[in-house]
Amino acid sequence: MANSSPAFPHASKMEVLFSKSRIAERVREIGAQISADYAGTSIVLIGVLKGAAIFLSDLARAIEVDNTFDFVAVSSYGRAKVSSGAVKLIKDIDNSIEGKHVILVEDILDTGLTLSYLRGMMLQHKPASLKIATCLDKPERRLVPIEADYVGFQIPNRFVVGYGMDYAEHYRNVEDIRLFPEEAVGH
Ligand code: 5GP
Ligand code: MG
Ligand code: MG
C-alpha cells in the first residue's frame, strides 16, 4: 500500500489505545449526558476541522436533543505534530449563534491554546451558553487554563492518530484511536 513507507507505518502496526467499540460506548454516554443537560432546547454543535469531524458526526447522532452543526477551521503554525501557539481562524461559522446554546466540539484538548482562542471568539457572538466537548484530553500538556465540560477520555502525553486525528493528514479514517510510534515522529 502507498502509505506503508517508514514515515507512514500502517495503522495495524500501532497499539490500540481506545477501540472502535470503546469509543462508540463512550460517545453514547456523552450523548446521553448532553441530551439530559439540554433537554427541551436546541443545540448548535461547532466542530473544529478537520480532526473533530468524525467525533462530531457520531456525537450529533448520540444526542437526542434537536441540533444543528457548523464548523470552524483554524491553523496553527509549525510542525504537523505540535501546536506552535499561534492560532489563526481560516474558516468562520456560517450561521449566527447569538442567543443559541453552543457546544464547541474538538478532537483533542492539548495545550488549550486552540480552544481558548475559539472560546473567546465564540463568546463575542453572544451565545446563550457555551460548552466544550472533546474526544480526548491531555491535561498534563496544558499551557493555558481551560477545561472541557464533556471529555471522552483523558490520556497521557502521547501522540495519537485515528478517529479523525491525523499525522500529516493521514490516519483520520482509522477507526480505533492508536498510539503513533515515537520513532516515526522525528524530533
Ligand atoms: P492545542 O490544545 O494544543 O491548541 O491544540 C490541540 C490540537 O492539536 C488538537 O485539536 C489536535 O488537532 C492537535 N493535537 C494535539 N495532540 C495531538 C495528538 O496526539 N494527535 C493528533 N493527531 N493531533 C493532536
Ligand atoms: Mg483539533
Ligand atoms: Mg492535526
Side-chain angles (χ1 to χ4, degrees):
M1 189 182 138
N3 288 345
S4 297
S5 64
F8 297 105
H10 196 268
S12 60
K13 297 196 179 99
M14 300 176 198
E15 189 184 328
V16 174
L17 189 57
F18 302 108
S19 67
K20 178 186 174 182
S21 60
R22 185 140 180 238
I23 297 165
E25 184 187 348
R26 188 71 191 113
V27 171
R28 274 196 299 276
E29 288 170 1
I30 297 172
Q33 197 188 337
I34 291 174
S35 301
D37 292 350
Y38 290 85
T41 70
S42 185
I43 311 170
V44 183
L45 300 171
I46 300 181
V48 185
L49 291 172
K50 305 169 198 162
I54 290 179
F55 177 48
L56 185 145
S57 77
D58 283 346
L59 186 63
R61 288 176 290 176
I63 295 172
E64 289 172 25
V65 174
D66 174 59
N67 64 78
T68 60
F69 343 136
D70 210 333
F71 291 95
V72 289
V74 293
S75 68
S76 59
Y77 304 97
R79 294 183 299 157
K81 180 180 165 279
V82 291
S83 297
S84 67
V87 180
K88 186 179 153 206
L89 191 73
I90 52 181
K91 188 220 168 286
D92 204 348
I93 47 175
D94 293 333
N95 297 310
S96 170
I97 55 167
E98 191 172 337
K100 304 270 176 70
H101 295 293
V102 172
I103 303 178
L104 266 171
V105 181
E106 245 294 37
D107 54 355
I108 307 189
L109 176 52
D110 188 29
T111 64
L113 291 164
T114 306
L115 276 173
S116 55
Y117 167 80
L118 286 173
R119 182 175 62 181
M121 278 221 20
M122 294 305 146
L123 287 173
Q124 290 177 10
H125 294 295
K126 302 197 182 343
S129 68
L130 180 62
K131 285 191 184 182
I132 293 171
T134 189
C135 181
L136 300 178
D137 181 16
K138 291 182 183 174
E140 59 186 85
R141 290 259 307 161
R142 210 74 90 244
L143 294 177
V144 290
I146 184 162
E147 296 306 326
D149 302 281
Y150 304 100
V151 175
F153 305 99
Q154 286 203 341
I155 63 166
N157 181 19
R158 294 287 304 274
F159 195 79
V160 298
V161 296
Y163 198 61
M165 291 168 271
D166 74 310
Y167 172 68
E169 298 298 333
H170 293 260
Y171 308 111
R172 293 193 196 277
N173 64 318
V174 172
E175 292 189 291
D176 308 303
I177 295 173
R178 291 178 181 257
L179 291 173
F180 191 73
E182 301 288 343
E183 63 273 15
V185 167
H187 290 277

Coordinates of all heavy atoms in Angstrom, one line a residue, residues 24-111:
A24 N -17.3 4.1 20.8 CA -18.7 4.1 20.5 C -19.5 4.2 21.8 O -20.5 4.9 22.0 CB -19.2 3.0 19.6
E25 N -19.1 3.3 22.8 CA -19.8 3.3 24.1 C -19.7 4.6 24.8 O -20.6 5.2 25.3 CB -19.1 2.2 24.9 CG -19.8 1.9 26.2 CD -19.0 0.9 27.1 OE1 -18.0 0.3 26.5 OE2 -19.3 0.8 28.2
R26 N -18.5 5.2 24.8 CA -18.2 6.5 25.5 C -19.0 7.6 24.8 O -19.5 8.5 25.5 CB -16.7 6.8 25.5 CG -16.3 7.9 26.3 CD -16.5 7.7 27.8 NE -16.3 8.9 28.5 CZ -17.3 9.5 29.2 NH1 -18.5 9.0 29.3 NH2 -17.1 10.7 29.8
V27 N -19.1 7.6 23.5 CA -19.8 8.6 22.7 C -21.3 8.5 23.1 O -22.0 9.6 23.3 CB -19.6 8.5 21.2 CG1 -20.5 9.5 20.4 CG2 -18.1 8.9 20.9
R28 N -21.8 7.3 23.2 CA -23.2 7.1 23.6 C -23.4 7.7 25.0 O -24.5 8.4 25.2 CB -23.6 5.7 23.6 CG -24.1 5.1 22.3 CD -24.8 3.8 22.4 NE -23.9 2.7 23.0 CZ -23.1 2.0 22.2 NH1 -23.0 2.2 20.9 NH2 -22.3 1.1 22.8
E29 N -22.5 7.5 25.9 CA -22.6 8.1 27.3 C -22.6 9.6 27.3 O -23.5 10.2 27.9 CB -21.5 7.6 28.2 CG -21.6 6.1 28.5 CD -20.3 5.6 29.2 OE1 -19.3 6.4 29.4 OE2 -20.2 4.4 29.5
I30 N -21.7 10.2 26.5 CA -21.7 11.6 26.5 C -22.9 12.2 25.8 O -23.5 13.2 26.2 CB -20.4 12.1 25.7 CG1 -19.1 11.7 26.5 CG2 -20.4 13.6 25.6 CD1 -17.9 12.0 25.7
G31 N -23.4 11.5 24.8 CA -24.6 11.9 24.1 C -25.8 11.9 25.0 O -26.6 12.8 25.0
A32 N -25.9 10.9 25.9 CA -27.0 10.8 26.8 C -26.9 11.9 27.9 O -27.9 12.5 28.3 CB -26.9 9.4 27.5
Q33 N -25.6 12.2 28.3 CA -25.4 13.3 29.3 C -25.8 14.6 28.7 O -26.6 15.4 29.3 CB -24.0 13.3 29.7 CG -23.8 14.0 31.0 CD -22.3 14.2 31.3 OE1 -21.4 13.4 30.8 NE2 -22.0 15.2 32.1
I34 N -25.4 14.9 27.4 CA -25.8 16.2 26.8 C -27.3 16.2 26.6 O -27.9 17.3 26.8 CB -25.0 16.3 25.5 CG1 -23.5 16.5 25.7 CG2 -25.6 17.5 24.6 CD1 -22.6 16.5 24.5
S35 N -27.9 15.1 26.2 CA -29.4 15.1 26.0 C -30.1 15.4 27.3 O -31.1 16.2 27.2 CB -29.8 13.7 25.5 OG -29.1 13.4 24.3
A36 N -29.6 15.0 28.4 CA -30.2 15.3 29.7 C -30.0 16.7 30.1 O -30.9 17.4 30.5 CB -29.6 14.4 30.8
D37 N -28.7 17.2 29.9 CA -28.4 18.6 30.3 C -29.1 19.6 29.4 O -29.4 20.7 29.9 CB -26.9 18.8 30.1 CG -26.0 18.0 31.1 OD1 -26.6 17.4 32.0 OD2 -24.8 18.0 30.9
Y38 N -29.4 19.3 28.2 CA -30.0 20.3 27.3 C -31.5 19.9 26.9 O -32.0 20.4 25.9 CB -29.2 20.4 26.0 CG -27.9 21.1 26.2 CD1 -26.8 20.3 26.6 CD2 -27.7 22.4 25.9 CE1 -25.5 20.9 26.7 CE2 -26.5 23.0 26.1 CZ -25.4 22.3 26.5 OH -24.2 22.9 26.6
A39 N -32.1 19.1 27.7 CA -33.5 18.6 27.4 C -34.4 19.8 27.1 O -34.4 20.8 27.9 CB -34.0 17.8 28.6
G40 N -35.2 19.7 26.1 CA -36.1 20.7 25.7 C -35.6 22.0 25.0 O -36.3 22.9 24.7
T41 N -34.3 21.9 24.7 CA -33.7 23.0 24.0 C -33.2 22.6 22.6 O -33.5 21.5 22.2 CB -32.4 23.6 24.7 OG1 -31.4 22.6 24.7 CG2 -32.7 23.9 26.2
S42 N -32.5 23.4 22.0 CA -31.9 23.1 20.7 C -30.4 23.5 20.8 O -30.1 24.5 21.4 CB -32.6 24.0 19.6 OG -32.2 23.6 18.3
I43 N -29.5 22.7 20.2 CA -28.1 22.9 20.3 C -27.4 23.2 19.0 O -27.8 22.6 18.0 CB -27.4 21.7 20.9 CG1 -28.2 21.1 22.2 CG2 -26.0 21.9 21.3 CD1 -27.7 19.7 22.6
V44 N -26.4 24.1 19.0 CA -25.5 24.2 17.8 C -24.2 23.5 18.2 O -23.5 24.0 19.1 CB -25.3 25.7 17.5 CG1 -24.4 25.8 16.2 CG2 -26.6 26.4 17.3
L45 N -23.8 22.5 17.4 CA -22.5 21.9 17.6 C -21.6 22.5 16.6 O -21.9 22.6 15.4 CB -22.6 20.4 17.3 CG -23.6 19.6 18.2 CD1 -23.7 18.2 17.6 CD2 -23.1 19.5 19.6
I46 N -20.5 23.0 17.2 CA -19.5 23.6 16.3 C -18.2 22.8 16.3 O -17.5 22.8 17.3 CB -19.2 25.1 16.7 CG1 -20.5 25.9 16.6 CG2 -18.1 25.7 15.7 CD1 -20.3 27.4 16.9
G47 N -17.9 22.1 15.2 CA -16.8 21.3 15.1 C -15.5 22.0 14.6 O -15.7 22.9 13.8
V48 N -14.4 21.6 15.2 CA -13.1 22.2 14.7 C -12.5 21.3 13.7 O -12.1 20.2 14.0 CB -12.2 22.4 15.9 CG1 -10.9 23.1 15.5 CG2 -12.8 23.2 17.1
L49 N -12.5 21.8 12.4 CA -12.0 21.0 11.3 C -10.5 20.8 11.5 O -9.8 21.7 12.0 CB -12.3 21.7 10.0 CG -13.8 21.7 9.6 CD1 -13.9 22.6 8.4 CD2 -14.3 20.3 9.4
K50 N -9.9 19.7 10.9 CA -10.7 18.6 10.4 C -10.8 17.5 11.5 O -11.6 16.6 11.4 CB -10.0 18.0 9.2 CG -9.7 19.0 8.1 CD -8.7 18.4 7.0 CE -8.1 19.5 6.2 NZ -6.9 19.0 5.5
G51 N -10.0 17.6 12.5 CA -9.9 16.5 13.5 C -11.2 16.1 14.2 O -11.4 14.9 14.5
A52 N -12.1 17.1 14.4 CA -13.3 16.8 15.2 C -14.4 16.3 14.3 O -15.5 15.9 14.8 CB -13.7 18.0 15.9
A53 N -14.2 16.2 13.0 CA -15.4 15.9 12.1 C -16.0 14.5 12.4 O -17.2 14.4 12.4 CB -14.9 16.0 10.6
I54 N -15.2 13.6 12.7 CA -15.7 12.2 12.9 C -16.4 12.1 14.3 O -17.5 11.6 14.4 CB -14.6 11.2 12.6 CG1 -14.3 11.2 11.1 CG2 -15.0 9.8 13.2 CD1 -13.3 10.2 10.6
F55 N -15.7 12.7 15.3 CA -16.3 12.7 16.6 C -17.7 13.4 16.6 O -18.7 13.0 17.1 CB -15.3 13.4 17.6 CG -15.8 13.5 19.0 CD1 -16.4 12.5 19.7 CD2 -15.6 14.8 19.7 CE1 -16.9 12.7 21.0 CE2 -16.1 14.9 21.0 CZ -16.7 13.9 21.6
L56 N -17.7 14.6 15.9 CA -18.9 15.4 15.8 C -20.0 14.5 15.1 O -21.2 14.5 15.6 CB -18.7 16.7 15.1 CG -19.9 17.6 15.1 CD1 -19.5 19.1 15.2 CD2 -20.8 17.4 13.9
S57 N -19.7 13.9 14.1 CA -20.7 13.1 13.3 C -21.3 12.0 14.2 O -22.5 11.8 14.2 CB -20.2 12.6 12.0 OG -19.4 11.5 12.2
D58 N -20.5 11.4 15.0 CA -21.0 10.3 15.9 C -21.8 11.0 17.1 O -22.8 10.5 17.5 CB -19.9 9.5 16.5 CG -19.4 8.5 15.5 OD1 -20.0 8.3 14.4 OD2 -18.3 7.9 15.7
L59 N -21.2 12.0 17.7 CA -21.8 12.7 18.8 C -23.2 13.3 18.5 O -24.1 13.1 19.3 CB -20.9 13.8 19.4 CG -21.3 14.5 20.7 CD1 -21.3 13.5 21.8 CD2 -20.3 15.6 21.0
A60 N -23.3 13.9 17.3 CA -24.6 14.5 16.9 C -25.7 13.5 16.9 O -26.8 13.7 17.3 CB -24.4 15.2 15.6
R61 N -25.3 12.3 16.4 CA -26.3 11.2 16.3 C -26.6 10.5 17.7 O -27.6 9.8 17.8 CB -25.9 10.2 15.3 CG -26.0 10.8 13.9 CD -25.5 9.8 12.8 NE -24.0 9.7 12.9 CZ -23.3 8.9 12.2 NH1 -23.9 8.1 11.3 NH2 -22.0 8.8 12.3
A62 N -25.7 10.8 18.7 CA -25.9 10.2 20.0 C -26.7 11.2 20.9 O -27.1 10.9 22.0 CB -24.6 9.9 20.7
I63 N -27.0 12.4 20.4 CA -27.7 13.4 21.1 C -29.1 13.4 20.6 O -29.4 13.5 19.4 CB -27.1 14.8 20.9 CG1 -25.6 14.9 21.5 CG2 -27.9 15.9 21.5 CD1 -24.9 16.1 21.1
E64 N -30.1 13.2 21.6 CA -31.5 13.2 21.2 C -32.1 14.5 21.0 O -33.1 14.7 20.4 CB -32.3 12.3 22.2 CG -31.9 10.9 22.1 CD -32.5 10.1 23.3 OE1 -33.5 10.5 23.8 OE2 -31.9 9.0 23.6
V65 N -31.5 15.5 21.6 CA -32.0 16.9 21.5 C -31.8 17.4 20.1 O -30.8 17.1 19.5 CB -31.2 17.8 22.6 CG1 -31.6 19.2 22.4 CG2 -31.5 17.3 24.0
D66 N -32.7 18.3 19.6 CA -32.6 18.9 18.3 C -31.2 19.6 18.2 O -30.8 20.3 19.1 CB -33.7 19.9 18.2 CG -33.5 20.7 16.9 OD1 -33.5 20.1 15.8 OD2 -33.4 21.9 17.0
N67 N -30.5 19.3 17.1 CA -29.2 20.0 17.0 C -28.9 20.3 15.5 O -29.3 19.7 14.6 CB -28.1 19.2 17.7 CG -27.8 17.9 17.1 OD1 -27.1 17.8 16.1 ND2 -28.3 16.8 17.7
T68 N -28.1 21.3 15.4 CA -27.5 21.7 14.0 C -26.0 21.7 14.2 O -25.5 21.8 15.3 CB -28.0 23.1 13.6 OG1 -27.5 24.1 14.5 CG2 -29.5 23.2 13.5
F69 N -25.3 21.6 13.0 CA -23.9 21.7 13.1 C -23.3 22.9 12.3 O -23.9 23.3 11.3 CB -23.0 20.6 12.5 CG -23.6 19.3 12.3 CD1 -23.3 18.6 11.1 CD2 -24.4 18.6 13.2 CE1 -23.7 17.3 10.8 CE2 -24.8 17.3 13.0 CZ -24.5 16.7 11.8
D70 N -22.2 23.3 12.7 CA -21.4 24.3 12.0 C -19.9 23.9 12.2 O -19.7 23.0 13.0 CB -21.7 25.7 12.5 CG -21.5 26.7 11.4 OD1 -20.8 26.5 10.4 OD2 -22.1 27.8 11.5
F71 N -19.1 24.5 11.4 CA -17.6 24.1 11.5 C -16.8 25.4 11.5 O -17.1 26.3 10.8 CB -17.2 23.2 10.4 CG -17.8 21.8 10.5 CD1 -19.0 21.5 9.8 CD2 -17.2 20.8 11.3 CE1 -19.6 20.2 9.9 CE2 -17.8 19.6 11.5 CZ -19.0 19.3 10.8
V72 N -15.7 25.3 12.2 CA -14.7 26.3 12.1 C -13.4 25.6 11.7 O -13.2 24.4 12.0 CB -14.4 27.2 13.4 CG1 -15.6 28.1 13.6 CG2 -14.1 26.3 14.6
A73 N -12.5 26.3 11.1 CA -11.1 25.8 10.8 C -10.1 26.8 11.3 O -10.3 28.0 11.2 CB -10.9 25.5 9.3
V74 N -9.1 26.2 12.0 CA -8.0 27.1 12.4 C -6.7 26.5 11.9 O -6.6 25.3 11.6 CB -8.0 27.1 14.0 CG1 -9.2 27.9 14.6 CG2 -7.8 25.8 14.6
S75 N -5.7 27.3 11.8 CA -4.4 26.8 11.5 C -3.5 27.2 12.6 O -3.6 28.3 13.2 CB -3.9 27.3 10.2 OG -3.6 28.7 10.3
S76 N -2.6 26.3 13.0 CA -1.5 26.7 13.9 C -0.3 26.4 13.2 O -0.1 25.4 12.5 CB -1.7 25.9 15.2 OG -1.6 24.6 15.0
Y77 N 0.7 27.3 13.3 CA 1.9 27.2 12.5 C 2.8 26.2 13.1 O 2.7 25.9 14.3 CB 2.6 28.6 12.4 CG 1.6 29.6 11.9 CD1 0.9 30.5 12.7 CD2 1.4 29.7 10.5 CE1 0.0 31.4 12.2 CE2 0.5 30.6 10.0 CZ -0.2 31.5 10.8 OH -1.0 32.3 10.3
G78 N 3.8 25.7 12.4 CA 4.8 24.8 12.9 C 4.6 23.4 12.4 O 4.0 23.2 11.4
R79 N 5.3 22.5 13.0 CA 5.3 21.1 12.5 C 3.9 20.5 12.6 O 3.1 20.9 13.4 CB 6.3 20.3 13.3 CG 7.7 20.7 13.1 CD 8.7 19.8 13.9 NE 8.4 19.8 15.3 CZ 8.7 18.9 16.1 NH1 9.3 17.8 15.7 NH2 8.5 19.0 17.4
A80 N 3.7 19.4 11.9 CA 2.4 18.7 11.9 C 2.1 18.2 13.3 O 0.9 18.2 13.6 CB 2.5 17.5 10.9
K81 N 3.0 17.8 14.0 CA 2.8 17.1 15.3 C 2.4 18.0 16.5 O 1.8 17.6 17.4 CB 4.0 16.3 15.6 CG 3.9 15.5 16.9 CD 5.2 14.7 17.1 CE 5.3 14.2 18.5 NZ 5.8 15.2 19.5
V82 N 2.9 19.3 16.4 CA 2.8 20.1 17.6 C 2.0 21.4 17.3 O 2.1 21.9 16.1 CB 4.1 20.5 18.2 CG1 4.8 19.3 18.9 CG2 5.1 21.1 17.2
S83 N 1.4 22.0 18.2 CA 0.8 23.3 18.1 C 1.8 24.3 18.5 O 2.4 24.2 19.5 CB -0.4 23.4 19.0 OG -1.4 22.5 18.6
S84 N 2.0 25.3 17.6 CA 3.0 26.3 17.9 C 2.5 27.4 18.9 O 3.3 28.2 19.4 CB 3.5 27.0 16.6 OG 2.5 27.7 16.1
G85 N 1.2 27.5 19.0 CA 0.7 28.6 19.9 C 0.1 29.7 19.1 O -0.8 30.4 19.6
A86 N 0.5 29.9 17.8 CA -0.1 31.0 17.0 C -1.4 30.4 16.3 O -1.2 29.5 15.5 CB 0.8 31.5 16.0
V87 N -2.5 30.8 16.7 CA -3.8 30.3 16.1 C -4.4 31.3 15.2 O -4.5 32.5 15.5 CB -4.8 29.9 17.3 CG1 -6.0 29.3 16.7 CG2 -4.1 28.9 18.2
K88 N -4.8 30.8 14.1 CA -5.4 31.8 13.1 C -6.7 31.1 12.6 O -6.7 29.9 12.3 CB -4.4 31.9 11.9 CG -4.8 32.9 10.9 CD -3.8 33.0 9.8 CE -4.4 33.5 8.5 NZ -3.6 33.0 7.4
L89 N -7.8 31.9 12.5 CA -9.1 31.4 12.0 C -9.0 31.4 10.5 O -8.8 32.4 9.9 CB -10.2 32.3 12.5 CG -11.6 31.7 12.3 CD1 -11.9 30.6 13.3 CD2 -12.6 32.8 12.4
I90 N -9.2 30.2 9.9 CA -9.3 30.2 8.4 C -10.7 29.9 7.9 O -10.9 30.1 6.7 CB -8.2 29.2 7.8 CG1 -8.2 27.8 8.4 CG2 -6.8 29.8 8.0 CD1 -7.2 26.9 7.9
K91 N -11.6 29.4 8.8 CA -13.0 29.3 8.4 C -13.9 29.7 9.5 O -13.7 29.0 10.6 CB -13.3 27.9 7.8 CG -14.7 27.8 7.2 CD -15.4 26.6 7.6 CE -16.9 26.6 7.3 NZ -17.7 27.5 8.2
D92 N -14.7 30.6 9.4 CA -15.6 31.1 10.5 C -16.9 30.3 10.4 O -17.2 29.6 9.4 CB -15.9 32.6 10.4 CG -16.2 33.2 11.7 OD1 -16.5 32.5 12.7 OD2 -16.3 34.5 11.8
I93 N -17.8 30.4 11.4 CA -19.1 29.8 11.4 C -20.0 30.4 10.3 O -19.8 31.6 9.9 CB -19.8 30.0 12.7 CG1 -19.8 31.4 13.3 CG2 -19.2 29.0 13.7 CD1 -20.5 31.6 14.5
D94 N -20.9 29.6 9.7 CA -21.7 30.1 8.6 C -23.0 30.8 9.2 O -23.5 31.7 8.5 CB -22.2 28.9 7.8 CG -21.1 28.2 7.1 OD1 -20.1 28.9 6.8 OD2 -21.2 27.0 6.8
N95 N -23.5 30.4 10.3 CA -24.7 31.0 10.8 C -24.5 31.6 12.2 O -23.7 31.2 13.0 CB -25.8 29.9 10.9 CG -26.1 29.3 9.6 OD1 -26.4 30.0 8.6 ND2 -26.0 28.0 9.5
S96 N -25.4 32.6 12.5 CA -25.3 33.3 13.8 C -25.6 32.4 14.9 O -26.4 31.5 14.9 CB -26.3 34.5 13.8 OG -26.4 35.0 15.1
I97 N -24.8 32.5 16.0 CA -25.0 31.7 17.2 C -25.6 32.6 18.3 O -25.7 32.2 19.5 CB -23.8 31.0 17.7 CG1 -22.6 32.0 17.9 CG2 -23.4 29.9 16.7 CD1 -21.4 31.4 18.6
E98 N -25.9 33.8 18.0 CA -26.4 34.7 19.1 C -27.7 34.1 19.7 O -28.6 33.7 19.0 CB -26.7 36.1 18.5 CG -27.0 37.2 19.6 CD -27.1 38.6 19.0 OE1 -26.6 38.8 17.9 OE2 -27.7 39.4 19.7
G99 N -27.7 34.1 21.0 CA -28.8 33.5 21.8 C -29.0 32.0 21.7 O -29.9 31.4 22.2
K100 N -28.0 31.3 21.1 CA -28.1 29.9 20.9 C -27.2 29.1 22.0 O -26.3 29.7 22.5 CB -27.6 29.5 19.5 CG -28.3 30.2 18.4 CD -29.5 29.4 17.9 CE -30.3 30.1 16.8 NZ -29.5 30.1 15.5
H101 N -27.6 27.9 22.2 CA -26.8 27.0 23.1 C -25.8 26.3 22.2 O -26.1 25.5 21.4 CB -27.7 26.0 23.8 CG -28.7 26.6 24.8 ND1 -28.3 27.3 25.9 CD2 -30.0 26.8 24.7 CE1 -29.3 27.8 26.5 NE2 -30.4 27.5 25.8
V102 N -24.5 26.6 22.5 CA -23.4 26.2 21.6 C -22.5 25.2 22.4 O -22.2 25.4 23.5 CB -22.6 27.4 21.1 CG1 -21.4 26.9 20.4 CG2 -23.4 28.3 20.3
I103 N -22.2 24.1 21.7 CA -21.1 23.3 22.2 C -20.0 23.2 21.1 O -20.2 22.8 20.0 CB -21.6 21.8 22.5 CG1 -22.8 21.9 23.4 CG2 -20.5 21.0 23.0 CD1 -23.4 20.5 23.7
L104 N -18.8 23.6 21.5 CA -17.6 23.5 20.7 C -17.1 22.1 20.8 O -17.0 21.5 21.9 CB -16.5 24.4 21.2 CG -16.4 25.8 20.6 CD1 -15.4 26.7 21.4 CD2 -16.0 25.8 19.2
V105 N -16.9 21.5 19.6 CA -16.5 20.1 19.6 C -15.1 19.9 19.0 O -14.8 20.3 17.9 CB -17.5 19.2 18.7 CG1 -17.1 17.8 18.7 CG2 -18.9 19.4 19.3
E106 N -14.2 19.4 19.8 CA -12.8 19.2 19.4 C -12.4 17.8 19.5 O -13.0 16.9 20.2 CB -11.9 20.0 20.4 CG -11.2 21.2 19.8 CD -10.1 20.9 18.8 OE1 -10.3 19.9 18.0 OE2 -9.1 21.6 18.8
D107 N -11.3 17.5 18.8 CA -10.7 16.1 18.8 C -9.9 16.0 20.1 O -10.1 15.0 20.9 CB -9.9 15.8 17.6 CG -8.8 16.8 17.2 OD1 -8.7 17.8 17.9 OD2 -8.1 16.5 16.3
I108 N -8.9 16.9 20.3 CA -8.0 16.8 21.5 C -7.9 18.2 22.1 O -7.6 19.1 21.4 CB -6.6 16.3 21.1 CG1 -6.7 15.0 20.3 CG2 -5.8 16.1 22.3 CD1 -5.3 14.3 20.1
L109 N -8.0 18.2 23.4 CA -7.7 19.4 24.2 C -6.2 19.1 24.7 O -6.0 18.2 25.5 CB -8.7 19.6 25.3 CG -8.4 20.7 26.3 CD1 -8.2 22.1 25.6 CD2 -9.6 20.8 27.3
D110 N -5.3 19.9 24.2 CA -3.9 19.6 24.4 C -3.3 20.8 25.2 O -3.5 20.9 26.5 CB -3.2 19.4 23.1 CG -1.8 18.9 23.2 OD1 -1.4 18.2 24.1 OD2 -1.0 19.2 22.3
T111 N -2.6 21.7 24.6 CA -2.1 22.9 25.3 C -3.3 23.8 25.8 O -3.1 24.6 26.7 CB -1.2 23.8 24.5 OG1 -1.9 24.3 23.4 CG2 0.0 22.9 24.0

